[in-house]
Amino acid sequence: MPRYEVQFKSTGIVAFSATERAICQHWYECNNYGPETPFCDPETGELDPNKWVKGDCLELFKVVRCKAN
């Protein structure tokens, strides 16, 4: 069975691993982005607490498929 790892791009150190890519992808999506912020209407400048914007991608991690032993 293949194994997937979420690795730091800079060092290759494994931050998380699982047997399903979807689980690793979820971990990546939750941890590779800055915090969410309330949506700011560009016309009025008002914050909408019911709408949130995903934070900037931090580019810290990559998802890698490992070969089965």
Side-chain angles (χ1 to χ4, degrees), residues 15-69:
F16 181 80
S17 66
T19 55
E20 293 183 34
R21 181 174 176 83
I23 294 171
C24 281
Q25 194 64 37
H26 177 75
W27 190 96
Y28 172 88
E29 290 288 328
C30 291
N31 292 283
N32 202 41
Y33 291 87
E36 293 181 337
T37 56
F39 175 76
C40 181
D41 187 323
E43 293 180 10
T44 64
E46 293 182 18
L47 295 179
D48 185 343
N50 298 319
K51 294 182 183 177
W52 290 82
V53 179
K54 187 182 226 179
D56 294 333
C57 183
L58 302 174
E59 295 291 333
L60 295 175
F61 304 104
K62 61 184 176 180
V63 177
V64 178
R65 182 178 184 203
C66 301
K67 294 181 181 178
N69 292 337

Side-chain angles (χ1 to χ4, degrees), residues 3-27:
R3 185 146 193 86
Y4 296 91
E5 296 178 344
V6 181
Q7 300 176 352
F8 282 93
K9 285 183 175 182
S10 60
T11 62
I13 293 173
V14 177
F16 181 80
S17 66
T19 55
E20 293 183 34
R21 181 174 176 83
I23 294 171
C24 281
Q25 194 64 37
H26 177 75
W27 190 96

